[in-house]
Amino acid sequence: MTPENSEESHPLLRPPGGGSPCGRRVFLAAFAAALGPLSFGFALGYSSPAIPSLRRSVPPAPHLDDSTASWFGAIVTLGAAAGGVLGGWLVDRAGRKLSLLFCTVPFVAGFAVITAAQDVWMLLGGRLLTGLACGVASLVAPIYISEISYPAVRGLLGSCVQLMVVIGILLAYLAGRVLEWRWLAVLGCVPPSFMLLLMCCMPETPRFLLTQHKRQEAMAALQFLWGSEQGWEEPSVESEHQQLSGINAVMFYAETIFEEAKFKDSSLASVIMGTIQVLFTAVAALIMDRAGRRLLLALSGMVMVFSTSAFGTYFKLTQDGSNNSSHVDLLVPVPAEPVDTNVGLAWLAVGSMCLFIAGFAIGWGPIPWLLMSEIFPLHVKGVATGVCVLTNWLMAFLVTKEFNNLMEVLRPYGAFWLASAFCIFSVLFTLFWVPETKGKTLEQITAHFEGR
């Protein structure tokens, strides 16, 4: 057994009484790290209010047409895919803390480039930089939080990663109602700057320090985080289903569907969707350590199966009821006064969409990021997590860029029924292959996969 594996096989501390740690600085450290996902969410949500603002801009300010607007929204996922690879390399070499500090640089630089943009290429370059930071933050923050947490609160704190992401999205939506795109980019510099200041005061994770054979520093970090060295802890596949469930596609067509249901204020519709995400992600965080990961994943998947099926049914009924054409273009303006039948069907779509967002937020939104940080042993965590993040963001790019083409081939109802099939697969995958990690130490989880 190598020294690194040896560190994974023995608890960091195991006091005679086996009592639970009671320190509170671990929550402060988790909050500092979670400002990375908050910045990540703000970067994702930025495009929604910024694109309409940039479409209205006139020279000499940069202007977006349909093609450049599509790239403006999607290029952040390509940057995030590259950030996942970079983060996987950094997290094992520079450490968790330094990796989080590093990701603040492209966040601030990216938003600064957008603020100063004089043409479309500067806008896309700024988005690419913020995407790179998103990829690093989405990989490193769950690892850092998982490794500083004790089992009793690991589910709660780990779920806060996704909670901060959706809060960041909601903040972008709310701020976008009153700020133009340049000032909105200036606001985007605030969370990563605050994160830089806080993380400078936080310790490296005890587990990473142990892999570097710095046991005394690990004990000091544990003392800082838990308030005592009397506690226990060990040093210590699923993210593509997030995108295949159709989450990006549903969010992409949210504005059109709300308009058809007579929600004329599209920015208000975005705020409503963001609020639903925040509410149910918070619920998931509160019940995660009681209900368990597998139950919430299965429940979440079943809700998404029902809602995407209803969503597909909506498109089938509206297509058959209009002109039986072979293609329905959801991007064309809807009639100002739709007939009562179409209004009723639109409300079916609104209901199924809200249900889908709620279902995703309670399980498949936060839990894959948590499990990713729990199941991999230390000696492969950087590489394995990097592969997961790379896969997630590449799937996000494909869904964002190609879903409209998929709907042309399968028609809208077929595309969403395909998403429903992927959701069924996610439920079966959870029931047969996902282990329960609730209340287990990272050492016990590693032992499960190693057959010990």
Side-chain angles (χ1 to χ4, degrees), residues 31-46 76 100 103-108 111 127 130-131 133-135 137-138 141 161 163-169 171-172 187-196 393:
F31 172 75
L35 288 173
L38 179 70
S39 306
F40 157 26
F42 192 93
L44 291 183
Y46 174 81
V76 68
L100 284 172
C103 80
T104 63
V105 176
F107 266 132
V108 174
F111 278 119
R127 289 288 284 170
T130 57
C134 286
S138 66
V161 171
L163 178 61
M164 293 294 270
V165 170
V166 297
I167 288 176
I169 293 173
L171 287 176
L187 182 62
C189 295
V190 174
S193 299
F194 191 35
M195 173 188 172
L196 178 63
W393 285 111

mmCIF file of all heavy atoms in Angstrom, residues 31-46 76 100 103-108 111 127 130-131 133-135 137-138 141 161 163-169 171-172 187-196 393:
data_model
loop_
_atom_site.group_PDB
_atom_site.id
_atom_site.type_symbol
_atom_site.label_atom_id
_atom_site.label_comp_id
_atom_site.label_asym_id
_atom_site.label_seq_id
_atom_site.Cartn_x
_atom_site.Cartn_y
_atom_site.Cartn_z
ATOM 1 N N PHE A 31 -19.042 28.511 3.315
ATOM 2 C CA PHE A 31 -19.634 29.688 2.678
ATOM 3 C C PHE A 31 -18.611 30.383 1.777
ATOM 4 O O PHE A 31 -18.937 30.790 0.658
ATOM 5 C CB PHE A 31 -20.133 30.669 3.738
ATOM 6 C CG PHE A 31 -20.582 31.993 3.183
ATOM 7 C CD1 PHE A 31 -21.795 32.107 2.518
ATOM 8 C CD2 PHE A 31 -19.781 33.120 3.309
ATOM 9 C CE1 PHE A 31 -22.196 33.323 1.982
ATOM 10 C CE2 PHE A 31 -20.177 34.342 2.788
ATOM 11 C CZ PHE A 31 -21.386 34.440 2.122
ATOM 12 N N ALA A 32 -17.369 30.495 2.269
ATOM 13 C CA ALA A 32 -16.326 31.136 1.459
ATOM 14 C C ALA A 32 -16.111 30.381 0.157
ATOM 15 O O ALA A 32 -16.016 30.979 -0.922
ATOM 16 C CB ALA A 32 -15.023 31.210 2.258
ATOM 17 N N ALA A 33 -16.054 29.048 0.243
ATOM 18 C CA ALA A 33 -15.868 28.240 -0.967
ATOM 19 C C ALA A 33 -17.095 28.321 -1.872
ATOM 20 O O ALA A 33 -16.972 28.311 -3.104
ATOM 21 C CB ALA A 33 -15.585 26.795 -0.585
ATOM 22 N N ALA A 34 -18.281 28.399 -1.259
ATOM 23 C CA ALA A 34 -19.523 28.417 -2.037
ATOM 24 C C ALA A 34 -19.726 29.731 -2.785
ATOM 25 O O ALA A 34 -20.602 29.822 -3.645
ATOM 26 C CB ALA A 34 -20.719 28.150 -1.126
ATOM 27 N N LEU A 35 -18.938 30.762 -2.474
ATOM 28 C CA LEU A 35 -18.995 31.982 -3.272
ATOM 29 C C LEU A 35 -18.505 31.726 -4.701
ATOM 30 O O LEU A 35 -18.860 32.472 -5.623
ATOM 31 C CB LEU A 35 -18.161 33.088 -2.616
ATOM 32 C CG LEU A 35 -18.759 33.692 -1.343
ATOM 33 C CD1 LEU A 35 -17.765 34.656 -0.701
ATOM 34 C CD2 LEU A 35 -20.073 34.407 -1.642
ATOM 35 N N GLY A 36 -17.710 30.672 -4.883
ATOM 36 C CA GLY A 36 -17.315 30.269 -6.234
ATOM 37 C C GLY A 36 -18.523 29.816 -7.045
ATOM 38 O O GLY A 36 -18.766 30.317 -8.152
ATOM 39 N N PRO A 37 -19.321 28.851 -6.547
ATOM 40 C CA PRO A 37 -20.566 28.501 -7.228
ATOM 41 C C PRO A 37 -21.545 29.667 -7.374
ATOM 42 O O PRO A 37 -22.281 29.726 -8.354
ATOM 43 C CB PRO A 37 -21.144 27.399 -6.334
ATOM 44 C CG PRO A 37 -19.948 26.752 -5.732
ATOM 45 C CD PRO A 37 -18.970 27.866 -5.506
ATOM 46 N N LEU A 38 -21.571 30.607 -6.407
ATOM 47 C CA LEU A 38 -22.419 31.786 -6.564
ATOM 48 C C LEU A 38 -21.971 32.596 -7.787
ATOM 49 O O LEU A 38 -22.806 33.037 -8.607
ATOM 50 C CB LEU A 38 -22.357 32.649 -5.313
ATOM 51 C CG LEU A 38 -23.175 33.945 -5.340
ATOM 52 C CD1 LEU A 38 -24.660 33.643 -5.303
ATOM 53 C CD2 LEU A 38 -22.795 34.866 -4.182
ATOM 54 N N SER A 39 -20.659 32.788 -7.929
ATOM 55 C CA SER A 39 -20.125 33.490 -9.099
ATOM 56 C C SER A 39 -20.414 32.714 -10.371
ATOM 57 O O SER A 39 -20.739 33.298 -11.420
ATOM 58 C CB SER A 39 -18.614 33.682 -8.935
ATOM 59 O OG SER A 39 -18.293 34.326 -7.719
ATOM 60 N N PHE A 40 -20.300 31.407 -10.291
ATOM 61 C CA PHE A 40 -20.590 30.501 -11.400
ATOM 62 C C PHE A 40 -22.052 30.662 -11.834
ATOM 63 O O PHE A 40 -22.353 30.802 -13.036
ATOM 64 C CB PHE A 40 -20.221 29.096 -10.911
ATOM 65 C CG PHE A 40 -20.859 27.922 -11.557
ATOM 66 C CD1 PHE A 40 -21.341 27.944 -12.857
ATOM 67 C CD2 PHE A 40 -20.933 26.726 -10.846
ATOM 68 C CE1 PHE A 40 -21.905 26.812 -13.437
ATOM 69 C CE2 PHE A 40 -21.491 25.601 -11.407
ATOM 70 C CZ PHE A 40 -21.980 25.650 -12.716
ATOM 71 N N GLY A 41 -22.977 30.684 -10.879
ATOM 72 C CA GLY A 41 -24.393 30.872 -11.199
ATOM 73 C C GLY A 41 -24.669 32.230 -11.812
ATOM 74 O O GLY A 41 -25.453 32.349 -12.763
ATOM 75 N N PHE A 42 -24.010 33.264 -11.281
ATOM 76 C CA PHE A 42 -24.205 34.608 -11.831
ATOM 77 C C PHE A 42 -23.720 34.665 -13.278
ATOM 78 O O PHE A 42 -24.367 35.289 -14.131
ATOM 79 C CB PHE A 42 -23.452 35.637 -10.987
ATOM 80 C CG PHE A 42 -23.805 37.059 -11.298
ATOM 81 C CD1 PHE A 42 -24.801 37.722 -10.587
ATOM 82 C CD2 PHE A 42 -23.157 37.748 -12.319
ATOM 83 C CE1 PHE A 42 -25.145 39.033 -10.878
ATOM 84 C CE2 PHE A 42 -23.490 39.064 -12.627
ATOM 85 C CZ PHE A 42 -24.484 39.707 -11.902
ATOM 86 N N ALA A 43 -22.596 33.991 -13.563
ATOM 87 C CA ALA A 43 -22.069 33.966 -14.935
ATOM 88 C C ALA A 43 -23.031 33.243 -15.874
ATOM 89 O O ALA A 43 -23.227 33.664 -17.021
ATOM 90 C CB ALA A 43 -20.692 33.302 -14.961
ATOM 91 N N LEU A 44 -23.641 32.154 -15.400
ATOM 92 C CA LEU A 44 -24.606 31.440 -16.232
ATOM 93 C C LEU A 44 -25.858 32.275 -16.464
ATOM 94 O O LEU A 44 -26.389 32.338 -17.573
ATOM 95 C CB LEU A 44 -24.991 30.106 -15.572
ATOM 96 C CG LEU A 44 -23.922 29.015 -15.504
ATOM 97 C CD1 LEU A 44 -24.512 27.757 -14.887
ATOM 98 C CD2 LEU A 44 -23.361 28.711 -16.882
ATOM 99 N N GLY A 45 -26.355 32.914 -15.397
ATOM 100 C CA GLY A 45 -27.571 33.698 -15.512
ATOM 101 C C GLY A 45 -27.377 35.021 -16.215
ATOM 102 O O GLY A 45 -28.354 35.623 -16.688
ATOM 103 N N TYR A 46 -26.130 35.472 -16.338
ATOM 104 C CA TYR A 46 -25.844 36.783 -16.920
ATOM 105 C C TYR A 46 -26.384 36.912 -18.344
ATOM 106 O O TYR A 46 -26.891 37.973 -18.742
ATOM 107 C CB TYR A 46 -24.331 37.023 -16.900
ATOM 108 C CG TYR A 46 -23.900 38.294 -17.605
ATOM 109 C CD1 TYR A 46 -23.985 39.524 -16.971
ATOM 110 C CD2 TYR A 46 -23.434 38.254 -18.924
ATOM 111 C CE1 TYR A 46 -23.596 40.688 -17.617
ATOM 112 C CE2 TYR A 46 -23.050 39.414 -19.577
ATOM 113 C CZ TYR A 46 -23.136 40.627 -18.920
ATOM 114 O OH TYR A 46 -22.775 41.776 -19.565
ATOM 115 N N VAL A 76 -19.754 29.917 -22.866
ATOM 116 C CA VAL A 76 -19.355 29.760 -21.470
ATOM 117 C C VAL A 76 -19.221 28.283 -21.111
ATOM 118 O O VAL A 76 -18.374 27.910 -20.289
ATOM 119 C CB VAL A 76 -20.367 30.471 -20.540
ATOM 120 C CG1 VAL A 76 -21.713 29.782 -20.537
ATOM 121 C CG2 VAL A 76 -19.827 30.579 -19.130
ATOM 122 N N LEU A 100 -9.189 27.285 -5.600
ATOM 123 C CA LEU A 100 -10.322 28.201 -5.447
ATOM 124 C C LEU A 100 -9.871 29.655 -5.580
ATOM 125 O O LEU A 100 -10.558 30.481 -6.188
ATOM 126 C CB LEU A 100 -10.998 27.982 -4.099
ATOM 127 C CG LEU A 100 -11.881 26.732 -3.977
ATOM 128 C CD1 LEU A 100 -12.327 26.535 -2.537
ATOM 129 C CD2 LEU A 100 -13.093 26.841 -4.902
ATOM 130 N N CYS A 103 -9.369 30.512 -9.304
ATOM 131 C CA CYS A 103 -10.535 30.685 -10.166
ATOM 132 C C CYS A 103 -11.140 32.081 -10.045
ATOM 133 O O CYS A 103 -11.928 32.496 -10.907
ATOM 134 C CB CYS A 103 -11.587 29.605 -9.900
ATOM 135 S SG CYS A 103 -12.624 29.875 -8.451
ATOM 136 N N THR A 104 -10.789 32.825 -8.992
ATOM 137 C CA THR A 104 -11.306 34.191 -8.891
ATOM 138 C C THR A 104 -10.704 35.094 -9.967
ATOM 139 O O THR A 104 -11.327 36.079 -10.372
ATOM 140 C CB THR A 104 -11.001 34.795 -7.502
ATOM 141 O OG1 THR A 104 -9.589 34.898 -7.314
ATOM 142 C CG2 THR A 104 -11.602 33.941 -6.394
ATOM 143 N N VAL A 105 -9.491 34.757 -10.442
ATOM 144 C CA VAL A 105 -8.813 35.602 -11.437
ATOM 145 C C VAL A 105 -9.568 35.631 -12.765
ATOM 146 O O VAL A 105 -9.904 36.710 -13.265
ATOM 147 C CB VAL A 105 -7.350 35.165 -11.623
ATOM 148 C CG1 VAL A 105 -6.678 35.985 -12.728
ATOM 149 C CG2 VAL A 105 -6.583 35.286 -10.315
ATOM 150 N N PRO A 106 -9.874 34.467 -13.393
ATOM 151 C CA PRO A 106 -10.631 34.534 -14.649
ATOM 152 C C PRO A 106 -12.061 35.036 -14.463
ATOM 153 O O PRO A 106 -12.629 35.604 -15.405
ATOM 154 C CB PRO A 106 -10.606 33.090 -15.174
ATOM 155 C CG PRO A 106 -10.246 32.245 -14.001
ATOM 156 C CD PRO A 106 -9.414 33.088 -13.109
ATOM 157 N N PHE A 107 -12.654 34.838 -13.277
ATOM 158 C CA PHE A 107 -13.984 35.419 -13.029
ATOM 159 C C PHE A 107 -13.928 36.942 -13.160
ATOM 160 O O PHE A 107 -14.689 37.543 -13.933
ATOM 161 C CB PHE A 107 -14.476 35.053 -11.631
ATOM 162 C CG PHE A 107 -15.351 33.830 -11.576
ATOM 163 C CD1 PHE A 107 -15.107 32.826 -10.639
ATOM 164 C CD2 PHE A 107 -16.423 33.688 -12.439
ATOM 165 C CE1 PHE A 107 -15.912 31.695 -10.579
ATOM 166 C CE2 PHE A 107 -17.234 32.560 -12.379
ATOM 167 C CZ PHE A 107 -16.971 31.559 -11.454
ATOM 168 N N VAL A 108 -13.032 37.567 -12.407
ATOM 169 C CA VAL A 108 -12.935 39.026 -12.420
ATOM 170 C C VAL A 108 -12.443 39.523 -13.776
ATOM 171 O O VAL A 108 -12.979 40.497 -14.332
ATOM 172 C CB VAL A 108 -12.002 39.508 -11.289
ATOM 173 C CG1 VAL A 108 -11.784 41.017 -11.380
ATOM 174 C CG2 VAL A 108 -12.582 39.144 -9.927
ATOM 175 N N PHE A 111 -15.339 39.250 -16.478
ATOM 176 C CA PHE A 111 -16.354 40.294 -16.358
ATOM 177 C C PHE A 111 -15.765 41.674 -16.673
ATOM 178 O O PHE A 111 -16.462 42.550 -17.196
ATOM 179 C CB PHE A 111 -16.971 40.275 -14.967
ATOM 180 C CG PHE A 111 -18.048 39.236 -14.803
ATOM 181 C CD1 PHE A 111 -17.918 38.215 -13.868
ATOM 182 C CD2 PHE A 111 -19.201 39.281 -15.578
ATOM 183 C CE1 PHE A 111 -18.909 37.257 -13.720
ATOM 184 C CE2 PHE A 111 -20.197 38.327 -15.438
ATOM 185 C CZ PHE A 111 -20.052 37.304 -14.507
ATOM 186 N N ARG A 127 -16.736 36.043 -21.947
ATOM 187 C CA ARG A 127 -17.570 34.890 -21.585
ATOM 188 C C ARG A 127 -16.740 33.612 -21.496
ATOM 189 O O ARG A 127 -16.991 32.752 -20.626
ATOM 190 C CB ARG A 127 -18.687 34.716 -22.608
ATOM 191 C CG ARG A 127 -19.763 35.780 -22.551
ATOM 192 C CD ARG A 127 -20.651 35.623 -21.330
ATOM 193 N NE ARG A 127 -21.594 34.521 -21.507
ATOM 194 C CZ ARG A 127 -22.356 34.029 -20.541
ATOM 195 N NH1 ARG A 127 -22.264 34.515 -19.315
ATOM 196 N NH2 ARG A 127 -23.207 33.051 -20.771
ATOM 197 N N THR A 130 -14.931 33.705 -18.134
ATOM 198 C CA THR A 130 -15.823 33.373 -17.015
ATOM 199 C C THR A 130 -16.215 31.905 -17.053
ATOM 200 O O THR A 130 -16.381 31.275 -16.006
ATOM 201 C CB THR A 130 -17.085 34.258 -17.028
ATOM 202 O OG1 THR A 130 -17.771 34.112 -18.274
ATOM 203 C CG2 THR A 130 -16.737 35.719 -16.805
ATOM 204 N N GLY A 131 -16.335 31.337 -18.252
ATOM 205 C CA GLY A 131 -16.618 29.907 -18.357
ATOM 206 C C GLY A 131 -15.490 29.064 -17.802
ATOM 207 O O GLY A 131 -15.720 28.061 -17.119
ATOM 208 N N ALA A 133 -13.466 29.910 -15.442
ATOM 209 C CA ALA A 133 -13.587 30.002 -13.985
ATOM 210 C C ALA A 133 -14.731 29.137 -13.480
ATOM 211 O O ALA A 133 -14.620 28.502 -12.416
ATOM 212 C CB ALA A 133 -13.801 31.459 -13.574
ATOM 213 N N CYS A 134 -15.837 29.083 -14.220
ATOM 214 C CA CYS A 134 -16.977 28.250 -13.830
ATOM 215 C C CYS A 134 -16.573 26.784 -13.747
ATOM 216 O O CYS A 134 -16.968 26.060 -12.822
ATOM 217 C CB CYS A 134 -18.125 28.404 -14.832
ATOM 218 S SG CYS A 134 -19.028 29.959 -14.730
ATOM 219 N N GLY A 135 -15.783 26.332 -14.732
ATOM 220 C CA GLY A 135 -15.350 24.937 -14.731
ATOM 221 C C GLY A 135 -14.484 24.597 -13.538
ATOM 222 O O GLY A 135 -14.657 23.547 -12.909
ATOM 223 N N ALA A 137 -14.384 26.263 -10.611
ATOM 224 C CA ALA A 137 -15.188 26.385 -9.392
ATOM 225 C C ALA A 137 -16.146 25.213 -9.226
ATOM 226 O O ALA A 137 -16.328 24.704 -8.111
ATOM 227 C CB ALA A 137 -15.969 27.702 -9.416
ATOM 228 N N SER A 138 -16.753 24.757 -10.322
ATOM 229 C CA SER A 138 -17.710 23.654 -10.226
ATOM 230 C C SER A 138 -17.036 22.350 -9.840
ATOM 231 O O SER A 138 -17.682 21.442 -9.298
ATOM 232 C CB SER A 138 -18.455 23.484 -11.556
ATOM 233 O OG SER A 138 -17.582 23.071 -12.589
ATOM 234 N N ALA A 141 -14.942 23.493 -5.658
ATOM 235 C CA ALA A 141 -15.765 23.854 -4.497
ATOM 236 C C ALA A 141 -16.427 22.638 -3.840
ATOM 237 O O ALA A 141 -16.389 22.520 -2.609
ATOM 238 C CB ALA A 141 -16.815 24.895 -4.890
ATOM 239 N N VAL A 161 -23.672 23.945 -2.580
ATOM 240 C CA VAL A 161 -23.010 24.277 -3.837
ATOM 241 C C VAL A 161 -24.049 24.613 -4.896
ATOM 242 O O VAL A 161 -24.025 25.676 -5.515
ATOM 243 C CB VAL A 161 -22.100 23.115 -4.299
ATOM 244 C CG1 VAL A 161 -21.588 23.356 -5.718
ATOM 245 C CG2 VAL A 161 -20.940 22.930 -3.333
ATOM 246 N N LEU A 163 -27.214 25.178 -4.353
ATOM 247 C CA LEU A 163 -28.059 26.268 -3.851
ATOM 248 C C LEU A 163 -27.438 27.620 -4.202
ATOM 249 O O LEU A 163 -28.143 28.542 -4.648
ATOM 250 C CB LEU A 163 -28.235 26.147 -2.336
ATOM 251 C CG LEU A 163 -29.067 27.251 -1.666
ATOM 252 C CD1 LEU A 163 -30.491 27.269 -2.217
ATOM 253 C CD2 LEU A 163 -29.079 27.060 -0.146
ATOM 254 N N MET A 164 -26.132 27.752 -4.027
ATOM 255 C CA MET A 164 -25.478 29.013 -4.350
ATOM 256 C C MET A 164 -25.464 29.265 -5.862
ATOM 257 O O MET A 164 -25.542 30.415 -6.310
ATOM 258 C CB MET A 164 -24.057 29.025 -3.804
ATOM 259 C CG MET A 164 -23.985 29.025 -2.290
ATOM 260 S SD MET A 164 -24.652 30.537 -1.547
ATOM 261 C CE MET A 164 -23.185 31.550 -1.475
ATOM 262 N N VAL A 165 -25.394 28.196 -6.656
ATOM 263 C CA VAL A 165 -25.471 28.360 -8.112
ATOM 264 C C VAL A 165 -26.801 28.987 -8.510
ATOM 265 O O VAL A 165 -26.857 29.966 -9.262
ATOM 266 C CB VAL A 165 -25.273 27.011 -8.839
ATOM 267 C CG1 VAL A 165 -25.592 27.152 -10.330
ATOM 268 C CG2 VAL A 165 -23.852 26.505 -8.671
ATOM 269 N N VAL A 166 -27.909 28.421 -7.997
ATOM 270 C CA VAL A 166 -29.219 28.940 -8.403
ATOM 271 C C VAL A 166 -29.496 30.307 -7.783
ATOM 272 O O VAL A 166 -30.218 31.119 -8.372
ATOM 273 C CB VAL A 166 -30.341 27.931 -8.060
ATOM 274 C CG1 VAL A 166 -30.151 26.639 -8.848
ATOM 275 C CG2 VAL A 166 -30.413 27.620 -6.569
ATOM 276 N N ILE A 167 -28.922 30.578 -6.606
ATOM 277 C CA ILE A 167 -29.033 31.939 -6.055
ATOM 278 C C ILE A 167 -28.291 32.923 -6.959
ATOM 279 O O ILE A 167 -28.775 34.030 -7.219
ATOM 280 C CB ILE A 167 -28.476 31.991 -4.618
ATOM 281 C CG1 ILE A 167 -29.426 31.264 -3.647
ATOM 282 C CG2 ILE A 167 -28.294 33.439 -4.157
ATOM 283 C CD1 ILE A 167 -28.913 31.176 -2.228
ATOM 284 N N GLY A 168 -27.123 32.519 -7.459
ATOM 285 C CA GLY A 168 -26.390 33.376 -8.385
ATOM 286 C C GLY A 168 -27.177 33.648 -9.660
ATOM 287 O O GLY A 168 -27.196 34.780 -10.164
ATOM 288 N N ILE A 169 -27.834 32.618 -10.185
ATOM 289 C CA ILE A 169 -28.672 32.799 -11.376
ATOM 290 C C ILE A 169 -29.803 33.771 -11.084
ATOM 291 O O ILE A 169 -30.086 34.688 -11.867
ATOM 292 C CB ILE A 169 -29.234 31.439 -11.845
ATOM 293 C CG1 ILE A 169 -28.100 30.546 -12.352
ATOM 294 C CG2 ILE A 169 -30.280 31.632 -12.943
ATOM 295 C CD1 ILE A 169 -28.523 29.117 -12.673
ATOM 296 N N LEU A 171 -29.930 36.088 -8.761
ATOM 297 C CA LEU A 171 -29.384 37.441 -8.589
ATOM 298 C C LEU A 171 -29.145 38.115 -9.940
ATOM 299 O O LEU A 171 -29.408 39.314 -10.108
ATOM 300 C CB LEU A 171 -28.080 37.388 -7.792
ATOM 301 C CG LEU A 171 -28.201 37.109 -6.295
ATOM 302 C CD1 LEU A 171 -26.814 36.981 -5.667
ATOM 303 C CD2 LEU A 171 -28.999 38.211 -5.599
ATOM 304 N N ALA A 172 -28.635 37.341 -10.909
ATOM 305 C CA ALA A 172 -28.424 37.898 -12.246
ATOM 306 C C ALA A 172 -29.748 38.313 -12.882
ATOM 307 O O ALA A 172 -29.850 39.371 -13.520
ATOM 308 C CB ALA A 172 -27.704 36.879 -13.131
ATOM 309 N N LEU A 187 -21.178 44.224 -11.588
ATOM 310 C CA LEU A 187 -21.709 43.523 -10.414
ATOM 311 C C LEU A 187 -21.176 42.097 -10.330
ATOM 312 O O LEU A 187 -20.949 41.570 -9.234
ATOM 313 C CB LEU A 187 -23.237 43.524 -10.470
ATOM 314 C CG LEU A 187 -23.964 42.874 -9.294
ATOM 315 C CD1 LEU A 187 -23.655 43.607 -7.992
ATOM 316 C CD2 LEU A 187 -25.471 42.862 -9.539
ATOM 317 N N GLY A 188 -20.938 41.469 -11.487
ATOM 318 C CA GLY A 188 -20.419 40.101 -11.495
ATOM 319 C C GLY A 188 -19.031 39.975 -10.897
ATOM 320 O O GLY A 188 -18.618 38.874 -10.509
ATOM 321 N N CYS A 189 -18.294 41.072 -10.801
ATOM 322 C CA CYS A 189 -16.948 41.042 -10.203
ATOM 323 C C CYS A 189 -16.995 40.979 -8.672
ATOM 324 O O CYS A 189 -15.987 40.637 -8.033
ATOM 325 C CB CYS A 189 -16.149 42.274 -10.615
ATOM 326 S SG CYS A 189 -15.787 42.394 -12.383
ATOM 327 N N VAL A 190 -18.137 41.307 -8.075
ATOM 328 C CA VAL A 190 -18.215 41.422 -6.616
ATOM 329 C C VAL A 190 -18.097 40.074 -5.900
ATOM 330 O O VAL A 190 -17.249 39.930 -4.994
ATOM 331 C CB VAL A 190 -19.503 42.163 -6.198
ATOM 332 C CG1 VAL A 190 -19.659 42.166 -4.679
ATOM 333 C CG2 VAL A 190 -19.490 43.586 -6.739
ATOM 334 N N PRO A 191 -18.905 39.035 -6.256
ATOM 335 C CA PRO A 191 -18.796 37.765 -5.513
ATOM 336 C C PRO A 191 -17.405 37.139 -5.556
ATOM 337 O O PRO A 191 -16.898 36.719 -4.499
ATOM 338 C CB PRO A 191 -19.856 36.881 -6.181
ATOM 339 C CG PRO A 191 -20.844 37.829 -6.771
ATOM 340 C CD PRO A 191 -20.028 39.006 -7.220
ATOM 341 N N PRO A 192 -16.731 37.049 -6.731
ATOM 342 C CA PRO A 192 -15.389 36.446 -6.701
ATOM 343 C C PRO A 192 -14.371 37.276 -5.927
ATOM 344 O O PRO A 192 -13.439 36.720 -5.319
ATOM 345 C CB PRO A 192 -15.013 36.340 -8.186
ATOM 346 C CG PRO A 192 -15.890 37.304 -8.899
ATOM 347 C CD PRO A 192 -17.158 37.341 -8.114
ATOM 348 N N SER A 193 -14.542 38.600 -5.920
ATOM 349 C CA SER A 193 -13.628 39.439 -5.134
ATOM 350 C C SER A 193 -13.812 39.182 -3.643
ATOM 351 O O SER A 193 -12.836 39.079 -2.882
ATOM 352 C CB SER A 193 -13.877 40.918 -5.449
ATOM 353 O OG SER A 193 -13.654 41.200 -6.814
ATOM 354 N N PHE A 194 -15.054 39.057 -3.220
ATOM 355 C CA PHE A 194 -15.355 38.748 -1.824
ATOM 356 C C PHE A 194 -14.836 37.362 -1.464
ATOM 357 O O PHE A 194 -14.300 37.133 -0.374
ATOM 358 C CB PHE A 194 -16.860 38.849 -1.611
ATOM 359 C CG PHE A 194 -17.283 38.806 -0.162
ATOM 360 C CD1 PHE A 194 -16.507 39.380 0.832
ATOM 361 C CD2 PHE A 194 -18.477 38.199 0.203
ATOM 362 C CE1 PHE A 194 -16.898 39.349 2.164
ATOM 363 C CE2 PHE A 194 -18.884 38.148 1.527
ATOM 364 C CZ PHE A 194 -18.087 38.724 2.512
ATOM 365 N N MET A 195 -14.967 36.426 -2.411
ATOM 366 C CA MET A 195 -14.470 35.072 -2.197
ATOM 367 C C MET A 195 -12.954 35.071 -2.011
ATOM 368 O O MET A 195 -12.416 34.357 -1.149
ATOM 369 C CB MET A 195 -14.853 34.199 -3.388
ATOM 370 C CG MET A 195 -14.254 32.796 -3.367
ATOM 371 S SD MET A 195 -14.582 31.951 -4.915
ATOM 372 C CE MET A 195 -13.591 30.480 -4.692
ATOM 373 N N LEU A 196 -12.247 35.879 -2.806
ATOM 374 C CA LEU A 196 -10.788 35.969 -2.694
ATOM 375 C C LEU A 196 -10.380 36.419 -1.298
ATOM 376 O O LEU A 196 -9.459 35.861 -0.683
ATOM 377 C CB LEU A 196 -10.258 36.938 -3.750
ATOM 378 C CG LEU A 196 -8.753 37.205 -3.758
ATOM 379 C CD1 LEU A 196 -7.983 35.930 -4.068
ATOM 380 C CD2 LEU A 196 -8.406 38.301 -4.753
ATOM 381 N N TRP A 393 -20.005 19.543 -18.836
ATOM 382 C CA TRP A 393 -20.039 20.791 -19.586
ATOM 383 C C TRP A 393 -20.085 20.564 -21.092
ATOM 384 O O TRP A 393 -20.691 21.362 -21.824
ATOM 385 C CB TRP A 393 -18.841 21.660 -19.211
ATOM 386 C CG TRP A 393 -19.022 22.294 -17.864
ATOM 387 C CD1 TRP A 393 -18.326 22.019 -16.716
ATOM 388 C CD2 TRP A 393 -19.969 23.303 -17.507
ATOM 389 N NE1 TRP A 393 -18.786 22.787 -15.684
ATOM 390 C CE2 TRP A 393 -19.793 23.591 -16.144
ATOM 391 C CE3 TRP A 393 -20.953 23.986 -18.213
ATOM 392 C CZ2 TRP A 393 -20.563 24.524 -15.473
ATOM 393 C CZ3 TRP A 393 -21.724 24.929 -17.555
ATOM 394 C CH2 TRP A 393 -21.514 25.187 -16.191
#
